[in-house]
Amino acid sequence: MPGDTAMNATVPGFAARVVVRRSGRSSAMFRFIRRNPEIAWGGFLLLVVAFLAVAAPLLGTVDPRAISTADRLKPPSAEHWFGTDMLGRDLYSRVLYGGRISLSIGVSAAALSAFLGSVIGLLAAFGAFMDAVVMRIMDGIMSIPAILLSIALMAVAGPSVENIILAITIVEAPRVARLIRGVVLSLRSQPYVDAAIAAGSSMPRIVVRHLLPGIVGPLTVQATFVWAMAMILEAALSFIGAGTPPSTPSWGNIMSDGKALWQVKPFLIFIPAGFLSVTLLAVNLLGDGLRDLLDPRLSKRI
Amino acid sequence: MLIYAIRRILLAIPVMGVVALVVFGLLYITPGDPALVIAGDQATPEQIARIHVSLGLDQPPYIRFGTWIGQVLRGDLGTSISSNQTVAHMIDQRLEPTITLLLLAVLLSVAVGVPFGVAAAWKKGKTADRALSVFTTAGFSIPVFVAGYALAFLFASTLHWLPVQGYAPLSEGLWPCLRSLILPAVTLSLVYAAVIGRVTRAAMLEVLGQDYIRTARAKGVGPVAVLFRHALKNAAVPVVTIIGIGIATLFGATVVTESVFAIPGLGRLTVDAILHRDYPVIQGMVLLSSAIYVLINLAVDLLYTVVDPRISY
Amino acid sequence: MPAIAQKSADRTLRVIHSTNLASLDPVWTTEPGAKDYGFLTFDQLIAVDEHYVPQPQMAEGWSVEDDGKTYVIGLREGLMFHDREPVRSQDCIPSIQRWGARDGFGQMMMRFVDAMEVIDDRKFRIRLKKPFPLLPAAIGKSSSSQCFIMPERMAKTDPMTAVTESIGSGPYRFLREEWVPGAKAAWARFEGYIPRKEPVSGIAGGRIPVMDRIEWSMIADASTAMAALQAGEQDYWDIPAADLIPVLEEDPNITLAVRNPTGGFYMMQLNHLQPPFNNPAVRQAVAMAVDQMDFLRAIEPDIRLIRECDSFYACGTPNGVDAGSDVLKVKNVEKAKAALKAAGYAGEKVVILGVMINPIGPLCQIAEDLLRRIGMNVELVAMDFATLAQRRVSKEPVDKGGWSLFVTAWTGADILNPAVNQLLRAGGAAKGWYGWADDPALESLRDQWANAGDTATQAKLATDIQVEAFKSLPYIPIGQVSSRVAYRKNLTGVFPCPVFSYWNIGKNV
């Protein structure tokens, strides 16, 4: 809230945090990193994982779908850096290419639910009747456990990457809608919005100039959490057997393929689990850091 | 407040109506015919048609929906297609394991998460906070079944302290029951405690920045009293909210945990029902879990008034 | 473990049962769980032994009169249902009729049946229109659906509706109140059961209920199941995961045994109504590329347990010869590619319906890989079984929701002969199993086989059927796998059997 920053400036401790400014953008970046280690670490890890996924063809991989039953379940070796799976496919290649699928499921579901949820939330915030109807529908969808709804949706539409993204979007969008609705409602009651409406500003202008800036922060934070939820949900769906088919690898279905054997061939589960965990860690750190950064109401010390 | 509660319950009816429509509609458009699954590989089309009739599947959808709603309003959740037992009976059999597991997991998570969150808020910025933060984020980031397998491997297969799988009902004694639930509950708590810890920390931070806290400290009130008597009470609203929401979001993790530890609970029941297209069971379970979600939300809202006297209805 | 629990564990056979027990009617559904339930709870008039020769079970014996057109079956003395009612002919006849309405072999038999009459409480007569020497083999079959004898009131239930009671005359009594579908099932020994005196052989012989109780736990997760068996929380695992067998082999407390020597058979079922597999030359081309060992190695690492089987019957049984199977001996991708082109394949889309559960999942992926390598335009569509069951009914082209191929598995007993082998039907779109092969020559040979009066003619006709089948390829066999069961060393009396049977098994404590 604009008013709060002014208040913080007069708090005694704040003066001590003023840092001598040095010129140059690089030192500004170092300062940023030091002040917001979560964003820094989260972003860095995410970039590493994304790089591995995107650059997969250049990093010594082979066709992740190439079956060779004579080579099944080999442990890590010079030829197969992570070993092979039950059908003799190279695990290293599958994990790297699988990153593409898992990351894209995460990002797409996050972006789509952010978009869809915002639209719904905005609509709901602008009309009492729309609000009542839309929010009841959102409540209804939210009260169905996410995993059941996604399994049912996958059963309807068939297991594919697009359908998983769609299913997770449908499951997560209501929460975003609820959040956006709440933010918009509280923003709308601000005097400057009233003034804009009184001055005759058109609705789109109000939305873009006055509301969107207030939405962007919480929306971004929520989007990172949806990203994490989407990847976890994909892994859980694959574990139960309702995820993407194993010909196209994703971390979820690589783990699901190998779950029966983890006591004899632990690398089948623990390597993709490691990648998934690092990514989830990164996304969560990013979300935490963004929230600390963008939410001015949090104080910096007791 | 009673009026508030009644108003909320009335508002819940359209929500449940939406749920009923959504689940029925979804199942209607889902491919897969329970009659075929039952009939097996040797049935002729005429035989399959007769099974349809005996299951009531030959009726048009609006009649089936109406019949089902009518049954539900009379308290009858229908009969399972594959096992011929009433849905109510099947749910009743599986209720105890899931509820005891969830209760134990919630207790563990709150007992661990809240103090961690308070401590992290207190030590914000210091190494303890950062370490706690990474620890909870790690709990959040490990896939549930990986944690479950690892715990089972260590404490059951290797050390033989606890059983690998299975659920011992309360009728066999409190300790055998608890013993069979420790590993699954800890597995569930890893995620849940992390969430509770983070929300507690965030809520505490917000509260601790307020003027009255500074005043209390200036007056010389000790840190423990400040934390627990003044701050936590006021931070309770978001914490209680997340505990409530968490129970609903925990369902996914519960399904996986029940699979890993072979606990005969509701999670596994519903997933199997979906895979077998056992419509009455699916419909009944979804309605039930939605009703529970709505009730928990109501309970949480009512709990606000207890925890924060500024809130009243 | 507390002392009380230990004592009851000593008298209970705790089985990790991999398939679910959802329905209590083995005639109404062919789910494997119901079949295993059937064998414990019910009993059969006749049962085949380890050589698939029918032996009397509940029957004292049977006599054949009237040049093979009349069978008189007599019941043993003292047979009782679990509600202590005696088993009478009035229970047997409706049981046979209800079974005959649903089961394939039973339907074939009922076409020959003129009438079934009660002679007295322990004797009844079956009158046939023409001789059907396979009648005892049909009534005594071990593959689904088996002819279980139920009380008259249960047997008179419409065959399209499931029975609701669980009263049988088998060695164990089902404990209905302890049943949690999908999780647990339990039986107690039936004290009124009178086992035969002969030793067990196949499903024939004395079904002695040695253990007091039998408990099934449905543990879906393979590594959890293995850990439970190793920890002694369970005694017996019916379908251990193949890749975990090496761990179990190392465990000194666990024994591994092959109980069913015939094992399981896998095949690629083709859709003969739609391109490209409506073209016989395309089917032959695919068969030329198949190397069964490639498929089998993916699901069972122990090569002692896998066997190439170039037959449309079960290798290891009388009909399981490799006559006519030259196309399966080619095993050459290049030749297959050439044959495919020569057949006129023009890139038509092949849709494989795949349920991604072991072992079918990996086999589907290998099939997809193989077809791609010989140059076909192939897509593997993953789905759950319910969806597959529905989609394979479709006779439409693939772009309208149809299909081209799916992988399926049957036990040896299911493909023993042309009567039980559903997939060997070739009556075209009107009749037959999913795939609708159309080969009039094959159908006429099958009819001859059914009507042949003696076993020697039947054996020759069975081989003729196979030779014809290899020309038209109703399906492509991809091999045979024997599977092992795992159990703790202190179990006794585990015997070779084509079904999962739990009589005769005891425990040393």
Side-chain angles (χ1 to χ4, degrees):
Chain A
M1 306 290 151
D4 287 349
T5 0
M7 204 159 73
N8 272 340
T10 62
V11 168
F14 184 79
R17 294 190 123 253
V18 170
V19 176
V20 173
R21 284 177 185 269
R22 286 212 241 136
S23 59
R25 289 175 66 212
S26 56
S27 38
M29 195 169 76
F30 278 130
R31 245 183 300 135
F32 182 84
I33 291 178
R34 214 171 336 125
R35 288 251 210 103
N36 301 283
E38 280 133 355
I39 298 184
W41 273 109
F44 172 68
L45 284 173
L46 216 45
L47 278 172
V48 168
V49 174
F51 170 73
L52 287 176
V54 167
L58 307 167
L59 293 170
T61 57
V62 299
D63 182 3
R65 307 172 72 164
I67 293 180
S68 164
T69 49
D71 291 327
R72 67 192 298 272
L73 293 179
K74 295 234 154 76
S77 66
E79 195 194 333
H80 296 285
W81 295 346
F82 288 170
T84 59
D85 72 359
M86 302 210 322
L87 290 177
R89 296 179 289 211
D90 177 44
L91 195 63
Y92 172 70
S93 310
R94 281 180 76 76
V95 169
L96 255 49
Y97 278 95
R100 293 185 169 189
I101 301 292
S102 297
L103 284 173
S104 60
I105 289 179
V107 171
S108 308
L112 266 176
S113 29
F115 178 69
L116 193 61
S118 303
V119 167
I120 297 178
L122 275 167
L123 279 175
F126 272 105
F129 181 67
M130 278 296 285
D131 188 20
V133 168
V134 168
M135 277 349 262
R136 291 291 84 74
I137 298 180
M138 295 296 109
D139 279 343
I141 297 180
M142 272 200 287
S143 70
I144 302 177
I147 199 166
L148 296 187
L149 193 51
S150 6
I151 297 178
L153 288 166
M154 295 297 284
V156 171
S160 71
V161 174
E162 297 80 28
N163 290 336
I164 275 202
I165 295 175
L166 215 59
I168 297 175
T169 304
I170 293 178
V171 165
E172 294 290 336
R175 241 173 286 275
V176 178
R178 177 158 278 270
L179 172 76
I180 296 300
R181 168 188 174 272
V183 171
V184 170
L185 280 180
S186 68
L187 281 182
R188 201 174 61 155
S189 62
Q190 294 286 324
Y192 60 92
V193 178
D194 275 341
I197 296 181
S201 291
S202 67
M203 197 55 65
R205 206 156 166 207
I206 295 180
V207 168
V208 170
R209 278 195 74 194
H210 299 288
L211 295 177
L212 276 185
I215 294 179
V216 165
L219 186 61
T220 316
V221 173
Q222 186 67 13
T224 58
F225 296 141
V226 173
W227 184 344
M229 270 312 306
M231 299 186 75
I232 293 177
L233 207 51
E234 190 258 325
L237 285 173
S238 297
F239 180 79
I240 293 178
T244 48
S247 0
T248 312
S250 75
W251 292 333
N253 69 24
I254 298 176
M255 286 194 281
S256 170
D257 266 357
K259 70 175 188 233
L261 306 172
W262 73 272
Q263 292 192 46
V264 289
K265 308 277 175 193
F267 53 90
L268 286 175
I269 278 214
F270 287 121
I271 293 181
F275 275 77
L276 180 62
S277 299
V278 167
T279 310
L280 286 173
L281 190 66
V283 170
N284 284 323
L285 281 176
L286 201 58
D288 275 353
L290 280 174
R291 190 187 38 209
D292 280 352
L293 181 70
L294 296 173
D295 189 349
R297 288 179 302 151
L298 283 184
S299 80
K300 299 283 181 208
R301 79 163 50 170
I302 297 167
Chain B
M1 180 155 102
L2 186 62
I3 301 177
Y4 174 76
I6 293 179
R7 194 155 52 101
R8 280 288 299 270
I9 294 183
L10 283 177
L11 268 180
I13 294 179
V15 172
M16 299 298 296
V18 169
V19 172
L21 263 170
V22 166
V23 72
F24 189 85
L26 263 183
L27 290 178
Y28 183 68
I29 60 178
T30 303
D33 184 345
L36 281 168
V37 179
I38 290 164
D41 288 334
Q42 300 178 359
T44 66
E46 300 77 39
Q47 293 174 336
I48 294 170
R50 279 164 73 180
I51 296 180
H52 271 148
V53 172
S54 78
L55 294 176
L57 293 176
D58 57 324
Q59 311 269 20
Y62 54 89
I63 293 191
R64 281 164 53 191
F65 184 67
T67 315
W68 174 53
I69 293 291
Q71 278 180 322
V72 170
L73 290 174
R74 271 174 311 191
D76 172 15
L77 285 173
T79 309
S80 156
I81 289 179
S82 34
S83 75
N84 250 307
Q85 299 194 306
T86 63
V87 176
H89 177 68
M90 290 178 79
I91 291 181
D92 186 48
Q93 279 177 326
R94 309 267 206 151
L95 205 55
E96 188 194 295
T98 301
I99 291 204
T100 40
L101 173 61
L102 277 176
L103 264 171
L104 193 56
V106 169
L107 276 170
L108 267 176
S109 311
V110 171
V112 167
V114 169
F116 270 31
V118 168
W122 177 244
K123 301 274 174 216
K124 178 178 185 349
K126 314 239 183 73
T127 342
D129 175 28
R130 290 268 144 77
L132 249 37
S133 182
V134 171
F135 183 69
T136 53
T137 314
F140 207 69
S141 310
I142 300 180
V144 173
F145 51 91
V146 173
Y149 285 146
L151 285 170
F153 183 69
L154 179 58
F155 292 103
S157 297
T158 313
L159 292 171
H160 297 291
W161 288 354
L162 295 165
V164 168
Q165 51 81 40
Y167 171 73
L170 280 170
S171 52
E172 284 181 23
L174 182 59
W175 174 237
C177 178
L178 278 179
R179 198 170 162 264
S180 66
L181 286 179
I182 290 179
L183 287 180
V186 170
T187 308
L188 272 181
S189 312
L190 280 175
V191 176
Y192 204 22
V195 173
I196 293 181
R198 282 140 61 87
V199 170
T200 307
R201 172 184 175 278
M204 286 294 288
L205 281 177
E206 181 158 345
V207 162
L208 287 172
Q210 304 285 340
D211 284 342
Y212 61 88
I213 296 292
R214 248 192 307 273
T215 318
R217 291 286 284 136
K219 279 183 0 186
V221 180
V224 174
V226 166
L227 282 175
F228 287 97
R229 202 154 11 112
H230 296 278
L232 186 55
K233 242 184 11 172
N234 294 311
V237 166
V239 176
V240 168
T241 309
I242 201 67
I243 294 179
I245 293 181
I247 295 182
T249 48
L250 215 48
F251 196 89
T254 310
V255 168
V256 171
T257 308
E258 283 179 6
S259 273
V260 171
F261 291 98
I263 295 182
L266 295 172
R268 201 60 232 189
L269 172 69
T270 323
V271 170
D272 284 343
I274 294 178
L275 293 175
H276 289 110
R277 307 293 190 273
D278 197 342
Y279 300 138
V281 175
I282 306 171
Q283 286 161 195
M285 262 311 299
V286 172
L287 268 186
L288 178 69
S289 53
S290 305
I292 292 180
Y293 179 80
V294 166
L295 279 172
I296 288 181
N297 274 334
L298 178 62
V300 163
D301 283 345
L302 291 176
L303 210 55
Y304 288 164
T305 62
V306 168
V307 156
D308 188 344
R310 291 175 301 173
I311 298 178
S312 77
Y313 303 113
Chain C
M1 215 194 291
I4 297 183
Q6 182 64 50
K7 277 234 228 7
S8 73
D10 289 346
R11 296 193 308 264
T12 306
L13 179 64
R14 298 160 304 171
V15 175
I16 301 171
H17 197 261
S18 305
T19 53
N20 184 19
L21 175 62
S23 163
L24 300 182
D25 190 342
V27 173
W28 184 70
T29 179
T30 51
E31 284 177 350
K35 171 175 92 173
D36 299 344
Y37 157 85
F39 273 107
L40 282 174
T41 315
F42 300 104
D43 207 349
Q44 297 170 280
L45 284 173
I46 299 173
V48 292
D49 66 15
E50 60 190 330
H51 304 291
Y52 293 101
V53 175
Q55 303 289 347
Q57 183 63 22
M58 286 167 80
E60 218 163 34
W62 62 89
S63 59
V64 187
E65 300 158 12
D66 210 2
D67 290 327
K69 292 211 295 212
T70 304
Y71 283 78
V72 175
I73 303 180
L75 293 171
R76 285 193 287 139
E77 201 179 333
L79 296 176
M80 255 197 287
F81 287 111
H82 299 150
D83 58 3
R84 298 281 162 173
E85 293 293 317
V87 181
R88 310 154 303 148
S89 312
Q90 292 87 331
D91 304 300
C92 298
I93 292 181
S95 296
I96 298 177
Q97 285 171 328
R98 185 168 189 267
W99 163 78
R102 289 300 300 264
D103 176 66
F105 205 173
Q107 288 168 353
M108 180 186 274
M109 179 187 103
M110 293 305 281
R111 279 200 286 276
F112 288 77
V113 167
D114 191 18
M116 293 199 265
E117 302 149 351
V118 174
I119 301 175
D120 61 44
D121 271 3
R122 282 176 52 205
K123 232 193 310 212
F124 64 97
R125 179 188 302 128
I126 304 181
R127 255 206 280 262
L128 303 174
K129 302 175 194 150
K130 281 190 311 186
F132 186 66
L134 294 168
L135 187 140
I139 296 186
K141 71 194 278 245
S142 57
S143 63
S144 290
S145 305
Q146 297 80 4
C147 182
F148 291 123
I149 303 302
M150 303 184 180
E152 185 179 2
R153 61 183 185 280
M154 283 169 67
K156 290 227 156 99
T157 315
D158 176 23
M160 300 307 142
T161 312
V163 297
T164 49
E165 293 181 68
S166 45
I167 305 291
S169 61
Y172 284 94
R173 191 170 48 89
F174 186 58
L175 301 173
R176 189 77 178 255
E177 62 282 3
E178 293 190 36
W179 177 42
V180 182
K184 194 164 101 93
W187 287 256
R189 179 199 295 131
F190 177 45
E191 305 299 340
Y193 186 75
I194 309 176
R196 297 192 68 95
K197 303 278 193 299
E198 300 92 345
V200 282
S201 162
I203 57 171
R207 300 184 180 182
I208 305 173
V210 178
M211 298 296 290
D212 289 3
R213 261 175 74 90
I214 298 185
E215 259 173 32
W216 290 358
S217 300
M218 281 59 136
I219 303 179
D221 190 290
S223 39
T224 306
M226 178 177 84
L229 187 65
Q230 289 183 296
E233 291 173 18
Q234 301 286 335
D235 300 312
Y236 183 108
W237 191 1
D238 60 356
I239 310 177
D243 287 303
L244 294 178
I245 303 254
V247 179
L248 294 170
E249 273 176 331
E250 305 266 310
D251 191 321
N253 294 316
I254 296 184
T255 309
L256 291 157
V258 175
R259 282 193 76 184
N260 181 3
T262 341
F265 293 82
Y266 297 90
M267 48 278 283
M268 293 197 285
Q269 184 70 7
L270 306 169
N271 186 347
H272 294 245
L273 290 180
Q274 296 291 341
F277 293 127
N278 58 350
N279 178 344
V282 170
R283 303 198 292 267
Q284 293 285 329
V286 172
M288 288 166 71
V290 167
D291 180 352
Q292 293 188 350
M293 293 308 269
D294 269 346
F295 284 88
L296 300 176
R297 261 200 304 254
I299 57 180
E300 173 55 77
D302 187 341
I303 52 171
R304 294 169 297 175
L305 297 176
I306 55 183
R307 232 181 99 162
E308 187 165 324
C309 182
D310 298 334
S311 170
F312 283 92
Y313 308 108
C315 294
T317 67
N319 286 330
V321 298
D322 69 351
S325 64
D326 293 326
V327 68
L328 282 181
K329 302 202 160 65
V330 173
K331 302 180 194 174
N332 189 309
V333 168
E334 292 308 315
K335 291 212 181 116
K337 252 192 187 147
L340 193 61
K341 258 224 278 280
Y345 176 68
E348 293 93 328
K349 183 123 182 251
V350 171
V351 166
I352 303 180
L353 302 182
V355 179
M356 290 299 146
I357 299 181
N358 277 350
I360 299 287
L363 292 174
C364 292
Q365 294 178 68
I366 296 178
E368 182 202 21
D369 183 64
L370 185 69
L371 292 183
R372 184 175 300 123
R373 277 191 290 141
I374 63 173
M376 297 189 95
N377 169 14
V378 57
E379 182 191 350
L380 168 60
V381 181
M383 56 189 60
D384 58 31
F385 178 70
T387 309
L388 182 136
Q390 189 180 51
R391 188 150 169 191
R392 69 181 174 183
V393 172
S394 164
K395 296 180 178 156
E396 300 293 318
V398 295
D399 54 8
K400 293 217 182 67
W403 59 278
S404 313
L405 188 158
F406 65 87
V407 176
T408 184
W410 294 79
T411 69
D414 294 320
I415 58 171
L416 212 50
N417 58 48
V420 291
N421 192 340
Q422 294 291 316
L423 301 82
L424 209 43
R425 296 193 183 169
K431 299 193 277 181
W433 208 57
Y434 310 104
W436 310 291
D438 194 351
D439 184 348
L442 192 62
E443 277 302 284
S444 118
L445 282 170
R446 280 185 78 240
D447 276 335
Q448 290 175 41
W449 179 89
N451 286 309
D454 64 282
T455 37
T457 322
Q458 277 191 330
K460 179 180 175 307
L461 280 168
T463 309
D464 290 341
I465 290 176
Q466 173 167 297
V467 171
E468 176 59 34
F470 270 115
K471 292 201 202 118
S472 63
L473 284 178
Y475 63 89
I476 300 179
I478 47 181
Q480 175 183 13
V481 179
S482 309
S483 51
R484 287 189 277 193
V485 301
Y487 54 93
R488 296 193 65 82
K489 273 216 157 61
N490 62 346
L491 289 192
T492 62
V494 179
F495 62 99
C497 188
V499 306
F500 291 138
S501 53
Y502 301 107
W503 55 82
N504 208 59
I505 297 179
K507 220 193 251 199
N508 286 331
V509 285

